[in-house]
Amino acid sequence: MQWRTIYRKECVESARNFKWIWVPLVFILFCIIDPLSTYYLPQILESTGGVPEGATFNIPTPPPSEVFMMSISQLNTLGLLVISLITMGTIAGERKSGVAELILVKPVSYMAYISAKWAAHVTLVVLSILIGFLASWYYTQLLFGELQFLHVLIAFFFYGLYMVFVISISIFMNTWTKIPGLVLFLTLCTLILINLFTNLLPHFLEWSPTMITSYLPTVLMNGDIAQNLWMASVMTIILTALLLMGAKIVLSKKEIT
Amino acid sequence: MIMTQDVIQTINEHIAIIAPLLIIQAILIVTALVSLIRTEVTNGPKWMWALIILFISTIGPIAYFIFGRRNDT
């Protein structure tokens, strides 16, 4: 019961902050900017000049699945930044302003508080990604050719898992400090470190959450779901659960002292 | 001059493709402005945010939503 109240309160707050409007729009923008600019590349080159007279370029048209991957890689950089930015103050800010104390003196469990906030952000972000994916799929279909909708949906499912994992990292970092900026810094550092280790030891960390993105091209191309992709997803879900539990433990220790 | 005409022509030909992009940017600007007018206090002067929202496309409204609003009060 209380869980639903906190969840609803979070959603109302997101609506008041216009998050429900701008986050989906921004994700659509991120997703469609690459298909568009790839499509118009010859015209852009022509109008900006710098191309010597008479030079002819033969820019090969990338296959649809590759264009779609461009959108995903855009989300992987700018999208991650936006997600970290919108989640950075969700608990840290409330503890700073004292709202968290107001909520937690009532008989609300820490787990309910954390998971409701987490769920509210997951709803917003996952829906935004879905809309962004649909927009990107539409443009890819329109400008570059056939891309199966089912493959896009499968890719969305796995990519959504990864994004949920990112939100969990941010929520976990939220419980450590009261400074939103530091939360952002820690979240991005964690993501960079995970990325770095995965890139350094690709054979040992085939199940790392950041590997999900690198398995997506095959999914988009022919719908094959690699064994490693399943394992990476399971790993991501386990890590997400651990992060949420860790957040609960840290927060309960912080509030007592 | 010929170049700009070319660009305008290309845009005219492909207006159906580019239109969503422009519409999204317009919605972003309008919501950011509405929110700016409604709130009482922002981080930094209001007129500065108005300029940022209006003249820096896409990034301006996003920056306002993330950094301009004071949520914790």
Side-chain angles (χ1 to χ4, degrees):
Chain A
M1 219 47 222
Q2 9 161 290
W3 189 88
R4 213 187 288 166
T5 317
I6 303 176
Y7 177 77
R8 203 175 299 149
K9 174 225 154 216
E10 278 306 307
C11 287
V12 168
E13 201 179 311
S14 296
R16 289 225 183 101
N17 289 340
F18 294 90
K19 267 184 198 159
W20 274 105
I21 300 175
W22 72 264
V23 177
L25 284 179
V26 165
F27 273 73
I28 295 175
L29 271 184
F30 288 161
C31 281
I32 67 177
I33 213 97
D34 265 15
L36 278 179
S37 57
T38 314
Y39 183 71
Y40 286 114
L41 195 59
Q43 279 94 327
I44 293 170
L45 280 180
E46 215 172 274
S47 60
T48 49
V51 185
E53 204 61 44
T56 48
F57 273 107
N58 216 347
I59 305 160
T61 324
S65 62
E66 217 164 276
V67 177
F68 199 84
M69 277 314 287
M70 285 181 194
S71 299
I72 291 182
S73 64
Q74 198 81 320
L75 284 186
N76 251 346
T77 48
L78 292 171
L80 283 189
L81 186 66
V82 168
I83 292 175
S84 326
L85 278 168
I86 58 174
T87 50
M88 69 180 179
T90 180
I91 295 175
E94 285 199 349
R95 282 176 61 209
K96 202 172 158 194
S97 60
V99 177
E101 274 88 15
L102 280 182
I103 294 172
L104 289 169
V105 288
K106 301 206 170 69
V108 173
S109 72
Y110 291 109
M111 203 58 209
Y113 178 67
I114 290 168
S115 61
K117 272 180 172 296
W118 173 81
H121 281 102
V122 164
T123 324
L124 173 66
V125 168
V126 166
L127 274 180
S128 306
I129 291 173
L130 179 63
I131 297 171
F133 266 38
L134 289 179
S136 175
W137 174 72
Y138 171 75
Y139 270 108
T140 315
Q141 191 89 335
L142 193 72
L143 304 175
F144 293 92
E146 183 72 21
L147 183 67
Q148 277 209 13
F149 186 60
L150 183 68
H151 298 171
V152 173
L153 277 185
I154 298 172
F156 161 71
F157 171 73
F158 287 109
Y159 194 68
L161 274 182
Y162 175 51
M163 286 297 172
V164 169
F165 172 67
V166 172
I167 298 173
S168 316
I169 294 179
S170 183
I171 296 274
F172 178 66
M173 294 306 173
N174 255 300
T175 55
W176 281 94
T177 165
K178 289 184 184 177
I179 309 158
L182 195 61
V183 174
L184 176 72
F185 176 74
L186 288 173
T187 310
L188 292 181
C189 277
T190 316
L191 283 173
I192 291 168
L193 276 180
I194 296 175
N195 240 322
L196 197 72
F197 276 116
T198 314
N199 287 338
L200 281 177
L201 308 160
H203 296 294
F204 292 99
L205 294 167
E206 274 170 340
W207 302 345
S208 149
T210 49
M211 285 299 271
I212 286 182
T213 327
S214 57
Y215 296 128
L216 288 183
T218 28
V219 171
L220 287 170
M221 208 112 81
N222 42 30
D224 282 348
I225 303 169
Q227 178 83 33
N228 279 338
L229 181 51
W230 282 117
M231 293 316 288
S233 318
V234 171
M235 199 68 194
T236 311
I237 294 171
I238 293 172
L239 283 176
T240 304
L242 284 179
L243 278 171
L244 286 182
M245 270 173 327
K248 188 229 156 191
I249 292 165
V250 174
L251 191 65
S252 52
K253 280 203 178 128
K254 283 267 156 93
E255 287 303 323
I256 292 164
T257 50
Chain B
M1 202 52 214
I2 300 161
M3 268 175 189
T4 44
Q5 272 173 359
D6 273 355
V7 171
I8 290 166
Q9 202 192 345
T10 333
I11 290 175
N12 278 337
E13 279 169 13
H14 298 267
I15 194 73
I17 296 173
I18 304 175
L21 200 67
L22 303 176
I23 293 170
I24 289 170
Q25 287 189 333
I27 300 174
L28 270 181
I29 292 177
V30 170
T31 39
L33 282 180
V34 168
S35 146
L36 180 67
I37 292 166
R38 275 211 215 145
T39 51
E40 280 159 21
V41 214
T42 51
N43 290 326
K46 260 193 176 189
W47 58 268
M48 180 192 79
W49 282 113
L51 289 182
I52 290 176
I53 292 167
L54 283 175
F55 292 107
I56 308 174
S57 75
T58 318
I59 307 202
I62 301 174
Y64 165 71
F65 280 123
I66 293 173
F67 301 109
R69 294 177 56 87
R70 269 197 198 163
N71 301 327
D72 47 316
T73 44

